[in-house]
Amino acid sequence: MKKSLLLVLPFFLTISLFGQKNDPVYDIKYPKSRKKCDDYLYVYQRLPVEIRYSTFVRDRVIFFYFPSAKYLSILYDKNTDGIAIDIVRRDQYKCYEKNRLNKSWASKGKLLPPMYKKEMISNSMVTENGHVLVRYGELPANFDPMEVECNLLVVQKKNMCGYHHFTQIDYSNWGLLDMGLYRDSLSRDDLETQHREITKTMHFEIPFEKGKVRFSEEEIRPLYDSLELTDYNIKELTIRAYTSVEGSTEKNIEIQNGRAESIVRALQSYQNPEILYEISARENWVEFLSDIKDSMFNYMVSLSKEEIKIELAKPQISDRIESVLARHRKAIVTLRLEKKFSDEETNPNVLKSFFDQSLKDGNISEAIYIQELIFANIRDEKIPSEFIGQLEVPKETMYGPLLNNFAIFNYESNDMFLYENIVNFEELLDLLPGNLKIMYNLTALKIKARTEGELITTNQDLKKSIDELEKMGLNKSLLRRLKVNYHIILTQHYQNEGNYKAKNKSLKEVYWLYSRLNLNDEDLLSLSKYLAIYSKFDWAIAVIKDRLDDVGADEDLIYYYLQLTMYDPKNTKEDAYRVFMLNAIDKSNQRFCDLFLPKPQGGYSFQLLDDEFLRKTYCENCNY
């Protein structure tokens, strides 16, 4: 779901549009003093942060949306209070000519006649949950609804007291932090003395020499041996290749793709199973701009990308900066490895025999390893999933780790049947009371069920389980994830009840707990969207800000930070913001350009082009 982020511009305090302010527009007057708008400001500044209103066009009809009938009646309580719509067109903004904005003190585009309280009431519809839709009027025939945005004028006692521009921010795809399920596995010592890990992921960096395009098998061989790849097959390979920023962008990307592909070919030569791979290549603007800060080359930070390339082409510059550029030519490689299985390790009859013998001998560690082999083979479709039914484990305490792992595998294979999986873990807990891992898994699934509307548990039951796990000594990181998700559930519950005080308390708990967790980019993005939903935009920004200088930061995370911050000129004036924005553009140039599409086309808002820095960056990187 995408919703609007309200950019509030009290007219008499923060903006000056165009033209003379003496002549009224329709019967709207320019407020000569703040006192003219005191009544409006008093109410507006006390609105709950959840009150986010907007305008939109549907079937060529302009609507004003307000989420609370109660507060709408308070804001517009006099017959001379009302609204007006200012229609702004995308073609008013040009890259290489002056923007064609309306020369009026009250509007940027086409201002429509104001609608006052009585007409607003007669044209409004109130939904069951108290939201209000006001039918403002028809979009004039000469306007394309896909090419315009409708700004809002707030009129109080016929004075213009506010001018509001709405941007589109994405609140979709947020959810609980990943809790995972707590499985039993072999210790590191057991793996080293008896077995090899069945799957593992490795990360490493390969530097590129200037001018070098290809890697040979001989050059990759030391890397292959150092990673002990003789015992593993490469299942998946991801290469993020970075080139230094001097020279032609197209040539740089072509070289980096060639380098990355040569790494894939060299690694493929050492194994028969085909390597699934993904390659991305880009210029390393992030590290370049970061490395030249506070150096003799700091002046380049304020230049455009093309201006920087011109500077770097100068012999007196290129020679002196080569030591910096050399660090930026590299590939960041991620390998997902899978143990090479012997014939015995893929034979279901042999595996069952080994598994049964391990149980008979009471060798639980060996049974866990064989169990993991079976799971891996089923996932790779080397053994049919029905094979699990042939493995019988006594329902006794000593076999708890195996029973727990079977329950997890069953959930991961059939996660659509949440209720059945919860019952399965409940039966296990009855069999093995006090088993911390089973109790954790049961609590995690109940939290998931609670968010999906399943009436399997209650908030009180979840709190009791979490408190009990804390007393049992559950790992602090896992405990905090449970608590974060519990308070996310409470926030939604209290919001629906209208208990804003309790909701805010749970919000603070979530924000406090997050700083004590080591979260990946996916979790950070989900958490940021959750905070933004409740209008805690400063918190939403804070939780992801520290990741932005990392060249490997997730693209979705970077673009969400853009949505949260790019409307504020105080941000865009900073050199650090330019570094961050270039990171976003390097991740996806098209995605950056699409932010400036009209809102009806899915853009953030083309009116961001009012900002000179954003306009320059847009015109430099987007063809318009």
Side-chain angles (χ1 to χ4, degrees):
M1 174 176 63
K2 290 188 175 181
K3 291 185 178 179
S4 293
L5 171 63
L6 174 64
L7 302 188
V8 183
L9 304 173
F11 174 75
F12 51 89
L13 291 178
T14 61
I15 68 169
S16 176
L17 292 177
F18 310 98
Q20 298 298 315
K21 300 171 184 175
N22 297 323
D23 300 327
V25 178
Y26 299 109
D27 58 350
I28 304 172
K29 297 176 289 186
Y30 179 83
K32 298 293 185 181
S33 71
R34 178 190 177 94
K35 289 183 179 180
K36 298 286 187 180
C37 297
D38 274 351
D39 291 347
Y40 163 70
L41 282 177
Y42 180 82
V43 176
Y44 178 78
Q45 292 170 355
R46 288 162 177 77
L47 287 177
V49 293
E50 293 79 13
I51 303 297
R52 290 199 299 267
Y53 45 95
S54 63
T55 61
F56 63 92
V57 178
R58 182 174 296 161
D59 297 329
R60 299 198 64 84
V61 176
I62 302 170
F63 289 94
F64 170 51
Y65 162 77
F66 200 91
S68 169
K70 171 187 172 183
Y71 284 105
L72 184 67
S73 64
I74 296 173
L75 268 176
Y76 300 93
D77 64 335
K78 299 177 180 63
N79 289 334
T80 51
D81 295 346
I83 59 174
I85 296 295
D86 184 22
I87 306 173
V88 187
R89 302 189 316 274
R90 177 63 179 89
D91 63 8
Q92 292 178 244
Y93 293 86
K94 300 291 183 183
C95 272
Y96 305 108
E97 58 185 81
K98 193 172 182 180
N99 290 345
R100 296 179 293 163
L101 301 179
N102 184 26
K103 300 300 182 182
S104 164
W105 62 265
S107 69
K108 294 163 63 176
K110 168 68 174 177
L111 185 64
L112 301 182
M115 173 182 286
Y116 290 108
K117 178 185 173 182
K118 288 184 178 179
E119 191 178 0
M120 287 176 67
I121 292 172
S122 64
N123 287 353
S124 66
M125 177 186 72
V126 181
T127 66
E128 289 183 2
N129 55 5
H131 295 193
V132 183
L133 278 179
V134 178
R135 189 184 190 281
Y136 181 86
E138 297 281 339
L139 185 72
N142 57 329
F143 288 95
D144 182 347
M146 299 300 292
E147 295 287 339
V148 300
E149 293 175 358
C150 294
N151 296 347
L152 179 75
L153 278 71
V154 175
V155 182
Q156 296 282 297
K157 292 178 284 191
K158 295 200 174 181
N159 288 284
M160 179 176 171
C161 291
Y163 186 90
H164 299 182
H165 164 213
F166 306 95
T167 61
Q168 186 157 258
I169 190 166
D170 184 9
Y171 299 115
S172 64
N173 300 321
W174 75 275
L176 301 176
L177 297 189
D178 180 30
M179 293 173 287
L181 293 183
Y182 204 160
R183 68 186 73 238
D184 287 271
S185 57
L186 295 182
S187 68
R188 175 62 57 183
D189 289 342
D190 284 337
L191 284 170
E192 289 179 353
T193 57
Q194 300 180 52
H195 308 292
R196 292 282 182 184
E197 290 178 88
I198 294 172
T199 61
K200 62 181 180 178
T201 300
M202 303 190 74
H203 309 272
F204 57 93
E205 186 176 299
I206 300 177
F208 292 135
E209 295 177 22
K210 186 176 183 179
K212 185 172 184 176
V213 180
R214 305 294 176 194
F215 283 85
S216 66
E217 293 178 27
E218 292 74 22
E219 290 173 303
I220 292 295
R221 183 79 211 192
L223 169 68
Y224 190 90
D225 292 340
S226 70
L227 296 175
E228 298 181 327
L229 295 181
T230 51
D231 297 308
Y232 290 88
N233 282 321
I234 301 171
K235 190 76 173 176
E236 294 176 4
L237 173 64
T238 301
I239 300 178
R240 286 182 282 132
Y242 297 95
T243 179
S244 50
V245 300
E246 82 282 11
S248 161
T249 297
E250 292 75 16
K251 187 66 175 176
N252 286 339
I253 300 302
E254 180 184 341
I255 290 173
Q256 288 304 81
N257 274 315
R259 288 167 169 167
E261 288 168 2
S262 73
I263 293 173
V264 175
R265 285 195 297 271
L267 288 171
Q268 182 69 74
S269 69
Y270 291 107
Q271 69 175 60
N272 289 322
E274 183 180 359
I275 298 173
L276 300 175
Y277 66 90
E278 179 182 339
I279 294 173
S280 63
R282 56 180 60 96
E283 293 181 323
N284 198 344
W285 284 100
V286 176
E287 291 185 346
F288 172 77
L289 291 170
S290 177
D291 286 350
I292 66 173
K293 278 171 34 178
D294 303 321
S295 76
M296 63 183 296
F297 306 108
N298 186 57
Y299 70 93
M300 293 191 200
V301 171
S302 60
L303 301 180
S304 71
K305 289 165 72 173
E306 290 307 312
E307 289 168 339
I308 290 174
K309 286 180 179 289
I310 291 171
E311 284 293 297
L312 294 177
K314 297 176 180 178
Q316 67 271 29
I317 299 293
S318 60
D319 291 343
R320 299 175 76 177
I321 203 171
E322 171 55 27
S323 61
V324 176
L325 298 176
R327 298 196 297 269
H328 303 158
R329 305 180 192 112
K330 59 187 177 183
I332 298 175
V333 181
T334 301
L335 294 173
R336 193 170 78 80
L337 307 176
E338 183 181 79
K339 181 180 179 292
K340 291 180 179 178
F341 296 129
S342 65
D343 290 340
E344 286 186 339
E345 289 172 331
T346 57
N347 185 314
N349 294 325
V350 173
L351 287 171
K352 183 178 186 307
S353 175
F354 285 164
F355 185 76
D356 291 343
Q357 188 62 47
S358 297
L359 295 183
K360 184 177 179 181
D361 295 342
N363 190 341
I364 303 303
S365 294
E366 186 69 20
I368 288 174
Y369 183 74
I370 297 168
Q371 186 185 50
E372 289 178 354
L373 280 176
I374 292 168
F375 291 160
N377 281 311
I378 290 174
R379 281 190 285 265
D380 286 344
E381 299 182 352
K382 296 173 182 175
I383 294 177
S385 59
E386 295 79 17
F387 179 68
I388 288 289
Q390 300 180 33
L391 304 175
E392 297 181 5
V393 179
K395 294 186 176 180
E396 300 173 13
T397 302
M398 68 177 293
Y399 303 108
L402 295 164
L403 295 169
N404 179 50
N405 288 350
F406 275 126
I408 292 172
F409 184 79
N410 186 62
Y411 166 71
E412 292 173 343
S413 304
N414 304 281
D415 62 352
M416 296 294 291
F417 302 100
L418 189 55
Y419 176 75
E420 289 83 349
N421 282 288
I422 287 174
V423 170
N424 194 10
F425 276 103
E426 285 179 333
E427 290 175 352
L428 270 183
L429 194 59
D430 289 339
L431 177 68
L432 305 168
N435 186 301
L436 184 144
K437 293 181 181 179
I438 293 173
M439 185 169 178
Y440 171 86
N441 293 337
L442 177 59
T443 304
L445 292 187
K446 283 186 174 181
I447 286 176
K448 183 177 181 182
R450 190 73 176 150
T451 63
E452 295 179 3
E454 297 270 3
L455 301 178
I456 296 170
T457 188
T458 65
N459 294 340
Q460 293 77 12
D461 179 41
L462 291 178
K463 183 169 189 314
K464 182 181 177 183
S465 296
I466 293 170
D467 289 344
E468 190 170 342
L469 284 166
E470 186 168 16
K471 291 176 185 176
M472 294 168 67
L474 178 66
N475 172 280
K476 287 185 178 180
S477 178
L478 293 176
L479 186 66
R480 285 169 183 155
R481 284 177 178 266
L482 290 180
K483 287 184 176 181
V484 165
N485 288 337
Y486 169 69
H487 281 288
I488 286 175
I489 292 170
L490 282 187
T491 306
Q492 193 170 18
H493 172 74
Y494 290 134
Q495 172 82 1
N496 293 338
E497 283 188 344
N499 187 346
Y500 297 134
K501 183 177 180 180
K503 179 216 69 177
N504 289 334
K505 184 178 178 181
S506 282
L507 269 172
K508 289 178 181 177
E509 281 293 318
V510 171
Y511 187 61
W512 182 85
L513 286 164
Y514 110 86
S515 62
R516 287 150 180 81
L517 287 168
N518 183 21
L519 301 180
N520 60 28
D521 284 359
E522 184 179 356
D523 278 341
L524 286 172
L525 176 60
S526 180
L527 181 59
S528 183
K529 287 185 175 184
Y530 156 77
L531 293 169
I533 283 175
Y534 296 100
S535 298
K536 291 294 185 182
F537 296 110
D538 52 344
W539 294 2
I541 290 168
V543 301
I544 58 180
K545 188 172 185 179
D546 289 344
R547 286 287 297 133
L548 303 178
D549 292 335
D550 190 329
V551 71
D554 180 73
E555 179 182 315
D556 290 338
L557 193 76
I558 286 173
Y559 272 88
Y560 199 65
Y561 184 83
L562 266 180
Q563 290 183 40
L564 292 171
T565 57
M566 67 190 305
Y567 69 89
D568 189 345
K570 288 186 292 186
N571 294 327
T572 59
K573 288 177 181 177
E574 298 177 359
D575 285 343
Y577 204 82
R578 171 173 170 74
V579 175
F580 155 67
M581 194 166 288
L582 280 175
N583 192 2
I585 294 169
D586 284 344
K587 294 284 188 185
S588 174
N589 193 87
Q590 188 59 51
R591 189 168 179 178
F592 175 78
C593 298
D594 287 348
L595 290 171
F596 298 86
L597 290 172
K599 281 174 51 186
Q601 295 182 37
Y604 182 76
S605 173
F606 60 75
Q607 294 180 69
L608 291 173
L609 296 172
D610 284 329
D611 183 303
E612 194 60 36
F613 171 76
L614 292 178
R615 184 183 176 195
K616 179 182 177 183
T617 307
Y618 173 82
C619 294
E620 180 183 306
N621 292 279
C622 307
N623 295 321
Y624 180 75

